[in-house]
Amino acid sequence: DQQVKQNSPSLSVQEGRISILNCDYTNSMFDYFLWYKKYPAEGPTFLISISSIKDKNEDGRFTVFLNKSAKHLSLHIVPSQPGDSAVYFCAARGNAGNMLTFGGGTRLMVKP
Amino acid sequence: EPEVTQTPSHQVTQMGQEVILRCVPISNHLYFYWYRQILGQKVEFLVSFYNNEISEKSEIFDDQFSVERPDGSNFTLKIRSTKLEDSAMYFCASSELAGEANEQFFGPGTRLTVL
């Protein structure tokens, strides 16, 4: 079951540059998308979300873009900081319930 | 800042034994969830709970699993007869609302090891 897919298992960027994390989905019934960050030995921490009626949502250094026709979303972090180094999960929710379907995660490493 | 807490952080058990994983959701939240992550795999939804009953469950959540809110603060996941493949990180989550603003807040997880 690959309804939500993050094709890049890892990403390395330089401090101060932009990090772009990508996520693809297949289920047209998803109507709400979320990004979570996870540090080792901790639970996922909510970062930012976007409804399917929007194409962009911004919160400080984090911006999520949604392209519904391509069933693709991305998380932009700018400028990237070493403390952003973590595993990032995208998750999607259908319009009939609250369960989240997660992607496999992308490990982001921000080098000083 | 309010947070979801889980106990224990690590549980080791023998195959066939019952385990109970405990969670204290954020106090004003109404929806509660359990997810699990087997090592090297995705985070998977198990069950959601609202108004003292299960509102959704996945195919993973079979008769071996049950959830309960025994009092006003705790939310528990019971596995009746553990199998080796139940070894995973179990995350509890809670949300204030359903629908649009459904940001689910996760606890730190319980690592379950079944021997």
Side-chain angles (χ1 to χ4, degrees):
Chain A
D1 180 359
Q2 295 283 341
Q3 292 191 73
V4 179
K5 209 168 177 183
Q6 294 175 254
N7 287 316
S8 299
S10 65
L11 174 69
S12 181
V13 300
Q14 206 66 36
E15 181 179 7
R17 308 294 288 266
I18 185 170
S19 297
I20 300 176
L21 298 108
N22 294 301
C23 179
D24 296 293
Y25 63 96
T26 57
N27 189 340
S28 303
M29 303 304 287
F30 288 144
D31 70 346
Y32 199 70
F33 303 90
L34 306 91
W35 283 94
Y36 284 84
K37 177 169 77 172
K38 188 180 180 304
Y39 294 117
E42 294 184 14
T45 302
F46 170 73
L47 263 181
I48 192 169
S49 60
I50 188 166
S51 165
S52 61
I53 62 173
K54 297 183 179 178
D55 55 19
K56 178 182 174 182
N57 188 26
E58 195 171 347
D59 183 2
R61 296 186 298 115
F62 302 92
T63 303
V64 56
F65 296 92
L66 175 62
N67 182 334
K68 276 187 70 175
S69 59
K71 294 192 176 68
H72 177 84
L73 63 154
S74 60
L75 174 68
H76 292 211
I77 307 172
V78 56
S80 302
Q81 298 171 354
D84 296 329
S85 298
V87 178
Y88 288 78
F89 292 97
C90 73
R93 194 205 69 202
N95 57 11
N98 293 334
M99 101 178 213
L100 296 180
T101 301
F102 281 82
T106 296
R107 181 176 301 279
L108 174 65
M109 291 161 284
V110 181
K111 296 179 181 176
Chain B
E1 185 176 324
E3 57 183 18
V4 176
T5 59
Q6 291 185 244
T7 53
S9 57
H10 191 186
Q11 174 90 47
V12 181
T13 190
Q14 294 290 325
M15 190 169 58
Q17 294 295 304
E18 175 184 286
V19 293
I20 297 176
L21 310 183
R22 290 183 166 79
C23 168
V24 178
I26 294 172
S27 62
N28 64 332
H29 285 188
L30 301 176
Y31 294 82
F32 314 117
Y33 313 86
W34 284 101
Y35 291 80
R36 78 171 186 192
Q37 186 179 26
I38 295 171
L39 188 63
Q41 298 187 22
K42 292 185 177 185
V43 176
E44 301 172 291
F45 170 80
L46 292 178
V47 66
S48 63
F49 192 84
Y50 169 70
N51 199 26
N52 280 322
E53 59 183 32
I54 290 172
S55 48
E56 285 178 276
K57 61 181 181 178
S58 71
E59 58 190 24
I60 301 168
F61 193 87
D62 61 21
D63 292 343
Q64 291 297 319
F65 293 89
S66 62
V67 289
E68 193 179 26
R69 186 150 162 87
D71 53 43
S73 60
N74 289 286
F75 179 52
T76 61
L77 174 69
K78 183 194 290 187
I79 310 175
R80 287 191 185 81
S81 178
T82 49
K83 308 192 229 359
L84 295 176
E85 54 265 37
D86 293 327
S87 294
M89 281 291 289
Y90 287 80
F91 295 106
C92 174
S94 67
S95 65
E96 186 176 358
L97 302 167
E100 184 79 3
N102 178 29
E103 285 87 15
Q104 295 178 22
F105 293 86
F106 284 75
T110 293
R111 179 173 299 283
L112 176 65
T113 302
V114 182
L115 303 175

Coordinates of all heavy atoms in Angstrom, one line a residue, chain B residues 27-80:
Chain B
S27 N -5.2 17.5 27.7 CA -6.4 17.4 28.5 C -7.7 17.9 27.8 O -8.8 17.4 28.1 CB -6.2 18.2 29.8 OG -6.0 19.6 29.5
N28 N -7.7 18.9 26.9 CA -8.9 19.3 26.3 C -9.2 18.7 24.9 O -10.1 19.1 24.2 CB -8.9 20.9 26.1 CG -7.8 21.3 25.2 OD1 -6.7 20.7 25.0 ND2 -8.0 22.4 24.5
H29 N -8.4 17.7 24.6 CA -8.6 17.0 23.3 C -9.7 15.9 23.5 O -9.9 15.3 24.5 CB -7.3 16.3 22.9 CG -6.3 17.3 22.3 ND1 -5.1 17.0 21.7 CD2 -6.4 18.7 22.3 CE1 -4.5 18.1 21.3 NE2 -5.2 19.1 21.7
L30 N -10.4 15.7 22.4 CA -11.5 14.8 22.4 C -11.3 13.5 21.6 O -12.1 12.6 21.7 CB -12.7 15.6 21.8 CG -13.2 16.9 22.5 CD1 -14.3 17.5 21.8 CD2 -13.5 16.6 24.0
Y31 N -10.3 13.6 20.7 CA -10.1 12.4 19.8 C -8.7 11.8 20.1 O -7.8 12.5 20.3 CB -10.1 12.9 18.3 CG -11.4 13.4 17.9 CD1 -11.8 14.7 18.1 CD2 -12.3 12.6 17.2 CE1 -13.1 15.2 17.8 CE2 -13.6 13.0 16.8 CZ -13.9 14.3 17.1 OH -15.2 14.8 16.7
F32 N -8.7 10.5 20.2 CA -7.5 9.8 20.6 C -7.2 8.7 19.6 O -8.1 8.1 19.0 CB -7.7 9.2 22.0 CG -8.3 10.1 22.9 CD1 -9.6 9.8 23.5 CD2 -7.7 11.3 23.3 CE1 -10.2 10.7 24.4 CE2 -8.3 12.2 24.2 CZ -9.5 11.9 24.7
Y33 N -5.9 8.5 19.4 CA -5.4 7.6 18.3 C -4.3 6.7 18.8 O -3.5 7.1 19.7 CB -4.9 8.4 17.1 CG -5.9 9.5 16.7 CD1 -5.8 10.8 17.3 CD2 -6.8 9.3 15.7 CE1 -6.6 11.8 16.9 CE2 -7.6 10.4 15.3 CZ -7.5 11.6 15.9 OH -8.3 12.6 15.5
W34 N -4.2 5.5 18.2 CA -2.9 4.8 18.3 C -2.4 4.5 16.9 O -3.2 4.1 16.0 CB -3.2 3.4 19.0 CG -3.3 3.6 20.5 CD1 -4.5 3.6 21.2 CD2 -2.3 3.7 21.5 NE1 -4.2 3.7 22.6 CE2 -2.9 3.8 22.8 CE3 -0.9 3.8 21.4 CZ2 -2.2 3.9 23.9 CZ3 -0.2 3.9 22.6 CH2 -0.8 4.0 23.8
Y35 N -1.1 4.7 16.8 CA -0.3 4.3 15.6 C 0.8 3.4 16.0 O 1.2 3.4 17.2 CB 0.2 5.6 14.9 CG -0.8 6.5 14.3 CD1 -1.5 7.4 15.1 CD2 -1.0 6.5 12.9 CE1 -2.4 8.3 14.5 CE2 -2.0 7.4 12.4 CZ -2.7 8.2 13.2 OH -3.6 9.1 12.6
R36 N 1.4 2.7 15.0 CA 2.6 2.0 15.3 C 3.6 2.1 14.2 O 3.2 2.4 13.0 CB 2.3 0.5 15.6 CG 2.0 -0.3 14.3 CD 2.0 -1.8 14.6 NE 1.9 -2.5 13.4 CZ 1.5 -3.8 13.3 NH1 1.3 -4.5 14.4 NH2 1.5 -4.4 12.1
Q37 N 4.8 1.9 14.5 CA 5.9 1.9 13.5 C 6.8 0.8 13.7 O 7.6 0.8 14.7 CB 6.7 3.3 13.5 CG 7.7 3.4 12.4 CD 8.4 4.7 12.4 OE1 8.6 5.3 13.4 NE2 8.9 5.1 11.2
I38 N 6.7 -0.2 12.9 CA 7.7 -1.3 12.9 C 9.0 -0.8 12.4 O 9.0 0.0 11.5 CB 7.1 -2.5 12.1 CG1 5.9 -3.1 12.7 CG2 8.2 -3.6 11.9 CD1 5.1 -4.1 11.8
L39 N 10.1 -1.3 13.0 CA 11.4 -0.8 12.6 C 11.6 -0.8 11.1 O 11.5 -1.8 10.4 CB 12.5 -1.7 13.3 CG 13.9 -1.2 13.2 CD1 14.1 0.2 13.9 CD2 14.9 -2.2 13.8
G40 N 12.0 0.4 10.6 CA 12.3 0.5 9.1 C 11.1 0.6 8.3 O 11.2 0.7 7.0
Q41 N 9.9 0.7 8.9 CA 8.7 0.8 8.1 C 7.9 2.1 8.4 O 8.4 2.9 9.2 CB 7.8 -0.4 8.3 CG 8.4 -1.7 7.9 CD 7.4 -2.9 8.0 OE1 6.2 -2.7 8.0 NE2 8.0 -4.1 8.1
K42 N 6.8 2.3 7.7 CA 6.0 3.5 7.8 C 5.3 3.5 9.2 O 5.0 2.5 9.8 CB 5.0 3.6 6.7 CG 5.6 3.8 5.4 CD 4.4 4.0 4.4 CE 5.0 4.3 3.0 NZ 3.9 4.6 2.0
V43 N 4.9 4.7 9.6 CA 4.0 4.9 10.7 C 2.6 4.4 10.2 O 2.1 4.9 9.1 CB 3.9 6.3 11.2 CG1 2.9 6.5 12.2 CG2 5.3 6.8 11.7
E44 N 1.9 3.5 10.9 CA 0.7 3.0 10.5 C -0.4 3.3 11.5 O -0.3 3.1 12.7 CB 0.8 1.4 10.3 CG 1.8 0.9 9.4 CD 1.9 -0.6 9.5 OE1 2.4 -1.1 10.5 OE2 1.5 -1.3 8.5
F45 N -1.6 3.6 11.0 CA -2.7 3.9 11.8 C -3.3 2.6 12.4 O -3.4 1.6 11.7 CB -3.8 4.6 11.0 CG -5.2 4.7 11.7 CD1 -5.4 5.7 12.6 CD2 -6.2 3.9 11.3 CE1 -6.6 5.9 13.2 CE2 -7.4 4.0 11.9 CZ -7.7 5.0 12.8
L46 N -3.7 2.6 13.6 CA -4.3 1.4 14.2 C -5.8 1.7 14.5 O -6.7 1.0 14.0 CB -3.7 1.1 15.6 CG -2.2 0.5 15.5 CD1 -1.7 0.2 16.9 CD2 -2.2 -0.7 14.7
V47 N -6.1 2.8 15.3 CA -7.4 3.0 15.8 C -7.6 4.4 16.2 O -6.7 5.1 16.6 CB -7.7 2.0 16.9 CG1 -6.8 2.4 18.1 CG2 -9.2 2.0 17.3
S48 N -8.8 4.9 16.0 CA -9.2 6.2 16.6 C -10.4 6.0 17.5 O -11.2 5.1 17.4 CB -9.5 7.2 15.5 OG -10.6 6.9 14.8
F49 N -10.5 6.9 18.5 CA -11.5 6.8 19.6 C -12.1 8.1 19.9 O -11.4 9.1 20.1 CB -10.7 6.2 20.8 CG -11.5 5.7 22.0 CD1 -12.0 4.4 22.0 CD2 -11.7 6.5 23.1 CE1 -12.7 3.9 23.0 CE2 -12.4 6.0 24.1 CZ -12.9 4.7 24.1
Y50 N -13.4 8.1 20.0 CA -14.1 9.4 20.3 C -15.3 9.1 21.1 O -16.1 8.1 20.7 CB -14.4 10.1 19.0 CG -15.4 11.3 19.2 CD1 -14.9 12.4 19.9 CD2 -16.7 11.2 18.8 CE1 -15.8 13.5 20.1 CE2 -17.5 12.3 19.0 CZ -17.1 13.4 19.6 OH -18.0 14.5 19.8
N51 N -15.6 9.8 22.1 CA -16.9 9.7 22.8 C -17.0 8.3 23.4 O -18.1 7.7 23.3 CB -18.0 10.1 22.0 CG -19.3 10.4 22.8 OD1 -19.2 10.8 23.9 ND2 -20.4 10.3 22.1
N52 N -15.9 7.7 23.9 CA -15.9 6.4 24.5 C -16.2 5.2 23.5 O -16.6 4.1 24.0 CB -16.9 6.3 25.7 CG -16.2 6.9 26.9 OD1 -15.0 6.8 27.1 ND2 -17.0 7.6 27.7
E53 N -16.0 5.4 22.3 CA -16.1 4.3 21.4 C -15.1 4.5 20.2 O -14.7 5.6 19.9 CB -17.5 4.1 20.9 CG -18.1 5.3 20.2 CD -19.6 5.0 19.8 OE1 -20.3 4.3 20.5 OE2 -20.0 5.5 18.7
I54 N -14.8 3.3 19.6 CA -13.9 3.3 18.4 C -14.7 4.0 17.2 O -15.8 3.6 16.9 CB -13.5 1.9 18.0 CG1 -12.6 1.3 19.1 CG2 -12.9 1.8 16.7 CD1 -12.3 -0.2 19.0
S55 N -14.0 5.0 16.6 CA -14.6 5.6 15.4 C -14.0 5.1 14.1 O -14.7 5.1 13.1 CB -14.5 7.1 15.5 OG -13.2 7.5 15.8
E56 N -12.8 4.7 14.1 CA -12.2 4.0 13.0 C -11.1 3.0 13.4 O -10.5 3.2 14.5 CB -11.4 5.1 12.1 CG -12.2 6.1 11.3 CD -11.2 7.0 10.6 OE1 -10.8 8.0 11.3 OE2 -10.9 6.8 9.5
K57 N -10.9 2.0 12.6 CA -9.8 1.1 12.9 C -9.3 0.5 11.6 O -10.0 0.5 10.6 CB -10.3 0.0 13.8 CG -11.4 -0.9 13.3 CD -11.7 -2.0 14.3 CE -12.8 -2.9 13.8 NZ -13.1 -4.0 14.8
S58 N -8.0 0.2 11.6 CA -7.4 -0.4 10.4 C -7.5 -1.9 10.5 O -7.9 -2.5 11.5 CB -6.0 0.1 10.3 OG -5.2 -0.6 11.3
E59 N -7.1 -2.5 9.4 CA -7.1 -4.0 9.4 C -6.1 -4.6 10.3 O -6.2 -5.8 10.7 CB -6.9 -4.5 7.9 CG -5.6 -4.1 7.3 CD -5.6 -4.3 5.8 OE1 -6.7 -4.5 5.2 OE2 -4.5 -4.5 5.3
I60 N -5.1 -3.8 10.7 CA -4.2 -4.3 11.7 C -4.8 -4.5 13.0 O -4.5 -5.4 13.8 CB -3.0 -3.3 11.9 CG1 -2.3 -3.0 10.6 CG2 -2.0 -3.7 12.9 CD1 -1.4 -1.8 10.6
F61 N -5.8 -3.7 13.4 CA -6.4 -3.7 14.7 C -7.5 -4.8 14.7 O -8.7 -4.6 14.5 CB -7.1 -2.3 14.9 CG -7.5 -2.1 16.3 CD1 -6.7 -1.6 17.2 CD2 -8.8 -2.4 16.7 CE1 -7.0 -1.3 18.6 CE2 -9.2 -2.2 18.1 CZ -8.3 -1.6 19.0
D62 N -6.9 -6.0 15.0 CA -7.8 -7.2 15.0 C -8.3 -7.5 16.4 O -8.1 -6.7 17.3 CB -7.1 -8.4 14.3 CG -5.9 -8.8 15.1 OD1 -5.7 -8.5 16.3 OD2 -5.0 -9.5 14.5
D63 N -8.8 -8.7 16.6 CA -9.4 -9.0 17.9 C -8.4 -9.1 19.1 O -8.8 -9.1 20.2 CB -10.2 -10.3 17.8 CG -11.4 -10.3 17.0 OD1 -11.8 -9.1 16.7 OD2 -11.9 -11.3 16.5
Q64 N -7.1 -9.1 18.7 CA -6.1 -9.1 19.7 C -5.9 -7.8 20.4 O -5.3 -7.7 21.4 CB -4.8 -9.6 19.1 CG -4.7 -11.0 18.7 CD -4.9 -12.0 19.9 OE1 -4.4 -11.8 21.0 NE2 -5.7 -13.0 19.7
F65 N -6.4 -6.7 19.8 CA -6.2 -5.4 20.2 C -7.5 -4.8 20.8 O -8.6 -5.2 20.4 CB -5.8 -4.4 19.1 CG -4.4 -4.7 18.5 CD1 -4.3 -5.6 17.5 CD2 -3.3 -4.0 19.0 CE1 -3.0 -5.8 16.9 CE2 -2.1 -4.3 18.4 CZ -1.9 -5.2 17.4
S66 N -7.4 -4.0 21.8 CA -8.5 -3.3 22.4 C -8.0 -2.0 22.9 O -6.9 -1.8 23.3 CB -9.3 -4.1 23.4 OG -8.4 -4.3 24.5
V67 N -8.9 -1.0 23.0 CA -8.6 0.3 23.6 C -9.7 0.7 24.6 O -10.8 0.2 24.5 CB -8.5 1.4 22.5 CG1 -7.3 1.3 21.6 CG2 -9.8 1.5 21.7
E68 N -9.2 1.5 25.5 CA -10.1 1.9 26.6 C -9.7 3.2 27.2 O -8.5 3.6 27.1 CB -10.0 0.8 27.7 CG -11.1 0.9 28.8 CD -10.9 -0.2 29.8 OE1 -9.8 -0.7 30.1 OE2 -11.9 -0.6 30.5
R69 N -10.7 3.9 27.6 CA -10.4 5.2 28.4 C -11.0 4.9 29.8 O -12.2 5.2 30.0 CB -11.1 6.3 27.7 CG -10.8 7.7 28.3 CD -10.8 8.8 27.2 NE -10.9 10.1 27.8 CZ -9.8 10.8 28.1 NH1 -8.6 10.3 28.0 NH2 -10.0 12.0 28.6
P70 N -10.2 4.4 30.6 CA -10.7 3.9 31.9 C -11.1 5.0 32.9 O -11.9 4.8 33.8 CB -9.6 3.0 32.5 CG -8.3 3.6 31.8 CD -8.8 4.0 30.5
D71 N -10.6 6.2 32.7 CA -10.9 7.3 33.5 C -10.8 8.6 32.7 O -10.7 8.5 31.5 CB -9.9 7.4 34.7 CG -8.5 7.4 34.3 OD1 -8.2 8.1 33.3 OD2 -7.7 6.7 34.9
G72 N -10.8 9.7 33.3 CA -10.9 10.9 32.5 C -9.6 11.4 31.9 O -9.6 12.3 31.1
S73 N -8.5 10.6 32.2 CA -7.2 11.1 31.7 C -6.5 10.0 30.8 O -5.8 10.4 29.9 CB -6.3 11.6 32.8 OG -6.1 10.6 33.7
N74 N -6.6 8.8 31.2 CA -5.8 7.8 30.5 C -6.5 7.2 29.3 O -7.7 7.1 29.2 CB -5.5 6.6 31.5 CG -4.5 7.0 32.5 OD1 -3.3 7.2 32.3 ND2 -5.0 7.3 33.7
F75 N -5.7 6.8 28.4 CA -6.2 6.1 27.1 C -5.2 4.9 27.0 O -4.0 5.1 26.9 CB -6.1 7.0 26.0 CG -6.6 6.5 24.7 CD1 -7.8 5.8 24.5 CD2 -5.8 6.6 23.5 CE1 -8.2 5.3 23.3 CE2 -6.2 6.1 22.3 CZ -7.4 5.4 22.2
T76 N -5.7 3.7 26.9 CA -4.9 2.5 26.9 C -5.1 1.7 25.6 O -6.2 1.6 25.1 CB -5.1 1.6 28.1 OG1 -6.5 1.1 28.1 CG2 -4.9 2.4 29.4
L77 N -4.0 1.0 25.2 CA -4.0 0.0 24.2 C -3.6 -1.3 24.8 O -2.6 -1.4 25.4 CB -3.1 0.4 23.1 CG -2.9 -0.6 21.9 CD1 -4.2 -0.8 21.1 CD2 -1.7 -0.3 21.0
K78 N -4.5 -2.3 24.7 CA -4.2 -3.6 25.2 C -4.0 -4.6 24.0 O -4.8 -4.6 23.1 CB -5.3 -4.2 26.1 CG -5.0 -5.5 26.7 CD -6.3 -6.2 27.3 CE -6.8 -5.5 28.5 NZ -7.9 -6.2 29.1
I79 N -2.9 -5.4 24.1 CA -2.7 -6.5 23.2 C -2.8 -7.8 24.0 O -2.0 -8.0 24.9 CB -1.3 -6.4 22.5 CG1 -1.1 -5.0 21.9 CG2 -1.2 -7.4 21.4 CD1 0.3 -4.8 21.3
R80 N -3.8 -8.6 23.6 CA -4.1 -9.7 24.5 C -3.1 -10.8 24.5 O -2.7 -11.3 25.6 CB -5.5 -10.3 24.1 CG -6.6 -9.5 24.4 CD -7.9 -10.2 24.2 NE -9.0 -9.2 24.5 CZ -9.5 -8.3 23.6 NH1 -9.0 -8.3 22.4 NH2 -10.4 -7.5 23.9

